[in-house]
Amino acid sequence: MSSFLTHHGVVVALVCAAAAIVYGAVTSRSLLALSPGSERMRAISAAVQEGARAYLNRQYATIAGVGVVLFIVLIPIQNIRVAIGFAIGGIFSAAAGYIGMNVSVRANARVAESARGGVSPALSVAFRGGAVTGLLVVGLALIGVAGYYGILTWLVGETPRRAVDALIGLGFGGSLISVFARLGGGIFTKAADVGADLVGKIEAGIPEDDPRNPAVIADNVGDNVGDCAGMAADLFETYAVTAVAVMLLGVLLFDQASTLALYPLVLGGLSILASIIGTFAVRSRSGDVERALYQGLILSGGLAAAAFLPITYWMMNHVSLKHGATPHWWKFYLCSLIGIGVTACLFVITDYFTSTRFAPVKSTARASQTGHATNIIQGLAQGYQSTAPPAIVIALGILGAWKLTGGGSQGIYGIGVAVMAQLSLTGLIVALDAFGPITDNAGGIAEMADLPEEVRDVTDPLDAVGNTTKAVTKGYAIGSAALAALVLFNAFERELNDKGKVYSFSIGDPAVLIGLLIGGLMVYLFVSLAMEAVGRAGGAVVEEVRRQFREKPGIMEGTEQPEYGTAVGLVTRAAQREMIIPSLIPIVFTFVVGLISTQALGGLLIGVIVVGLFVAISMTSGGGAWDNAKKLIEDGAYGGKGSEAHAAAVTGDTVGDPYKDTAGPAINPMIKVANIVALLIIPIIT
């Protein structure tokens, strides 16, 4: 079996990845066969589809322009194989987000229609819509990595080391799409959301998703391009980049280069099969939506953990390090269990800080009784507090995997195995995230189409759970980004040392300290520009909605139709314009600092990883707490809708929106882009 996997591991990975694509195709077909509801529901859904397609088409056209320039630049810096890998990564990442988003925007009306039959059918449709995106992400990522590796080693005749070097370009392509998609989609969704809420809820006093609000379609479009396509691109690149980084460490550290290059690919393939099985466990007979979703995740995690045991034995039982004692195979297996355990802990912690069931959200809602300022103060405090438990869990996970495999370089490889195991659940994680915008849109369609109250009684609880799953999946994405960046940094260090000079990055070196400061600066500059972008674009939406209310007084009486397309076009242009400069920060800063000083570049990467982790967690968890504090009050706590506490909570949620859905999540790809750019420019800085 060991010999079979060594020679045919690429085939195993490709077959498993193909199973994910087939699952996506079959599930999409069954979903689209369901009724999308009444003529009014179909019209609303079509408007959301049109807006989402228009935005993504424009976004990808903008990214393509940047991509062509980088493709050309990579050829002299690296070689044509790296540049081709860059193109593959970008195309596959864009395809995963685009196809998944198209399924999601068609699933929304079908969820609303299914809600007539109760929670169970609506849950099934919404989750399967998200699962299409999730399985496409891991399927396309694995096809890209395994397929290109197979082409280079089998057809071109490259060594495993040179083939893996070319795959770094593939990771860069995925990362570039990710940072643009996360940032551009985040600016779009939150500008529309902020504009719709400030004028609709606060000034006009109309409900969320009221069809009289000219920004309501833009808000629904934003849910998909930000949370669905954005998260898909984010975790696509995390999955691909981590697999490549673990492969690179394997071929650098071990004698059996081919085996170590294939090991993470086979782990990823088996995890896809576990995720497909897990999707069938998501069903609810009791009406407990959250439990139904998590039982599928738990089953997939258990199946993956069981499958990792024989695979690790077959592939790692006879490997040997180039230098030093080789850890026993079962220690690598324990590292994989640590990765799954870290995922479980991050889920529980993020759920605690963002769910309406627990103290952090309740305390933020309670603080709203005394005004807007106290809501903001409490939300900020909860965001800062939320960084401590994940940091401890990640630190313990790093320590456990590192110690198990003997410390040193092989210890870093053990951490890489843990991260790869953590990412084994990516398919279902993305499914849980996409579940959020699908149910949110379903509730909006029910409201705009004047469906019976019992439909909203089904879609509202689904939407509330979707808010929590979106926050939880962001916590997972941030944790995996930090661990993946650690593996990338070690690969950067190893590649430098392979050039014949030993580098160490001590804080006692002024160049390293300068780099640390620049790395931290990059995070805060990136975040500030993203927040400003949402503020400017949101302000433009506010003015547009006010204009329509002023010039078309019949909108409020229902005798005139709002100009939905005007708001969608306005936000699209703003998001495309605003995303360029922040997205270039991790590329330009890293490149310039690398040209000046390799020591400073190492410090920059450390600063980006550490500062980025804490800022991202505080923003996503704090924003999630603000959001669900508002939901808790709207459900009747502390005076309910229309109360002073509700007005304060709406303000907190409006501040938290760009925190949790724009700036915070976009830090994940930013961290990895900086690390990958550092790897790619090694030939010109050494």
Side-chain angles (χ1 to χ4, degrees):
M1 180 60 74
S2 175
S3 175
F4 174 83
L5 291 172
T6 300
H7 289 93
H8 303 288
V10 168
V11 175
V12 172
L14 290 175
V15 168
C16 294
I21 306 299
V22 171
Y23 173 90
V26 172
T27 304
S28 298
R29 186 172 180 179
S30 67
L31 282 175
L32 297 179
L34 298 173
S35 170
S38 65
E39 186 66 34
R40 174 67 176 155
M41 293 168 66
R42 291 196 295 273
I44 296 167
S45 181
V48 174
Q49 292 169 38
E50 182 182 351
R53 273 198 307 271
Y55 173 78
L56 284 186
N57 288 341
R58 185 162 178 165
Q59 175 174 273
Y60 288 150
T62 303
I63 298 171
V66 177
V68 168
V69 174
L70 291 174
F71 178 88
I72 295 169
V73 169
L74 279 172
I75 296 173
I77 292 178
Q78 285 281 341
N79 52 59
I80 188 63
R81 293 181 299 278
V82 173
I84 291 171
F86 168 76
I88 292 171
I91 291 168
F92 277 35
S93 177
Y98 196 90
I99 298 169
M101 183 277 299
N102 270 290
V103 173
S104 294
V105 295
R106 284 170 170 76
N108 50 26
R110 289 162 173 83
V111 172
E113 181 66 15
S114 299
R116 297 178 188 271
V119 170
S120 185
L123 166 65
S124 174
V125 175
F127 176 75
R128 285 191 292 148
V132 171
T133 305
L135 270 299
L136 278 177
V137 166
V138 291
L140 288 174
L142 194 56
I143 282 176
V145 175
Y148 194 42
Y149 177 83
I151 289 170
L152 290 173
T153 53
W154 291 350
L155 299 182
V156 181
E158 294 284 10
T159 64
R161 167 65 189 276
R162 288 177 62 84
V164 174
D165 282 344
L167 287 176
I168 296 171
L170 188 148
F172 183 41
S175 296
L176 184 74
I177 293 290
S178 177
V179 72
F180 276 106
R182 262 303 190 193
L183 195 56
I187 292 170
F188 186 107
T189 183
K190 291 305 109 179
D193 198 0
V194 166
D197 282 356
L198 286 178
V199 183
K201 284 186 177 181
I202 295 178
E203 294 183 10
I206 58 179
E208 187 172 358
D209 295 320
D210 192 298
R212 293 172 292 178
N213 192 327
V216 70
I217 294 295
D219 188 8
N220 280 274
V221 170
D223 291 333
N224 293 283
V225 299
D227 281 320
C228 184
M231 176 61 89
D234 187 352
L235 283 174
F236 176 98
E237 66 99 11
T238 299
Y239 189 93
V241 164
T242 303
V244 172
V246 176
M247 293 168 76
L248 179 59
L249 282 178
V251 300
L252 289 172
L253 296 172
F254 291 82
D255 290 319
Q256 295 79 4
S258 181
T259 299
L260 271 295
L262 294 175
Y263 177 58
L265 301 182
V266 175
L267 289 185
L270 291 175
S271 301
I272 287 176
L273 300 182
S275 295
I276 291 173
I277 295 171
T279 62
F280 295 103
V282 177
R283 59 187 67 216
S284 175
R285 295 185 179 88
S286 63
D288 190 337
V289 176
E290 204 163 346
R291 178 180 177 180
L293 293 172
Y294 290 157
Q295 68 191 18
L297 190 65
I298 292 168
L299 176 61
S300 292
L303 290 173
F308 290 166
L309 179 62
I311 289 299
T312 304
Y313 172 74
W314 286 325
M315 298 194 73
M316 304 296 285
N317 191 29
H318 300 294
V319 299
S320 57
L321 283 166
K322 293 179 179 178
H323 306 286
T326 305
H328 291 292
W329 69 269
W330 57 267
K331 292 186 177 181
F332 291 116
Y333 174 66
L334 291 180
C335 288
S336 72
L337 297 186
I338 287 174
I340 294 174
V342 167
T343 295
C345 290
L346 290 177
F347 257 69
V348 171
I349 291 166
T350 311
D351 188 51
Y352 172 75
F353 279 100
T354 58
S355 173
T356 55
R357 304 192 309 272
F358 301 111
V361 169
K362 290 180 179 178
S363 67
T364 304
R366 188 164 53 249
S368 304
Q369 296 177 99
T370 49
H372 300 252
T374 47
N375 170 280
I376 298 296
I377 291 168
Q378 186 64 21
L380 287 172
Q382 292 302 326
Y384 296 146
Q385 287 178 25
S386 70
T387 63
I392 292 170
V393 166
I394 291 170
L396 291 175
I398 290 170
L399 179 64
W402 189 70
K403 283 287 189 182
L404 264 175
T405 45
S409 296
Q410 65 265 31
I412 298 294
Y413 185 79
I415 295 170
V417 172
V419 186
M420 200 62 209
Q422 184 185 16
L423 289 168
S424 67
L425 300 174
T426 296
L428 282 187
I429 301 295
V430 177
L432 293 179
D433 186 79
F435 175 86
I438 290 173
T439 54
D440 191 356
N441 277 194
I445 288 172
E447 179 75 28
M448 288 184 275
D450 294 322
L451 296 187
E453 190 64 30
E454 54 264 27
V455 172
R456 285 307 302 253
D457 290 341
V458 170
T459 59
D460 283 353
L462 291 177
D463 183 24
V465 172
N467 276 334
T468 301
T469 59
K470 283 190 292 185
V472 167
T473 54
K474 288 183 178 74
Y476 165 86
I478 293 164
S480 61
L483 289 169
L486 172 62
V487 177
L488 282 169
F489 179 79
N490 191 262
F492 166 74
E493 208 171 12
R494 294 285 307 182
E495 288 272 36
L496 282 176
N497 293 339
D498 266 14
K499 299 297 181 182
K501 183 179 178 182
V502 177
Y503 290 85
S504 63
F505 302 101
S506 166
I507 196 171
D509 184 337
V512 174
L513 181 57
I514 291 169
L516 284 167
L517 295 175
I518 294 174
L521 173 157
M522 286 167 60
V523 175
Y524 277 97
L525 180 61
F526 180 85
V527 163
S528 69
L529 292 176
M531 294 285 287
E532 278 189 340
V534 173
R536 283 192 294 268
V541 175
V542 167
E543 293 301 324
E544 172 59 25
V545 175
R546 285 174 177 168
R547 180 194 69 79
Q548 292 197 33
F549 280 151
R550 184 175 60 251
E551 295 179 3
K552 292 187 169 189
I555 289 176
M556 293 300 290
E557 283 76 40
T559 58
E560 291 185 88
Q561 281 293 314
E563 298 171 9
Y564 299 123
T566 304
V568 172
L570 186 154
V571 186
T572 297
R573 291 188 296 274
Q576 298 302 304
R577 183 176 61 250
E578 300 280 5
M579 74 178 183
I580 299 294
I581 293 178
S583 297
L584 293 177
I585 286 175
I587 299 173
V588 175
F589 273 68
T590 306
F591 185 78
V592 172
V593 171
L595 291 179
I596 296 170
S597 167
T598 305
Q599 298 297 124
L601 178 58
L604 178 149
L605 298 180
I606 298 168
V608 165
I609 293 169
V610 175
V611 176
L613 172 68
F614 284 94
V615 174
I617 292 174
S618 67
M619 296 186 91
T620 53
S621 293
W626 267 317
D627 189 355
N628 276 338
K630 180 199 70 174
K631 296 283 186 188
L632 187 63
I633 292 173
E634 288 178 344
D635 287 340
Y638 307 114
K641 290 183 179 180
S643 65
E644 290 297 320
H646 183 234
V650 169
T651 299
D653 178 41
T654 305
V655 174
D657 274 341
Y659 256 54
K660 68 181 174 64
D661 290 328
T662 306
I667 294 172
N668 304 341
M670 179 214 172
I671 292 171
K672 285 165 288 183
V673 167
N675 279 271
I676 292 173
V677 169
L679 273 170
L680 289 172
I681 64 173
I682 285 176
I684 62 174
I685 65 175
T686 55

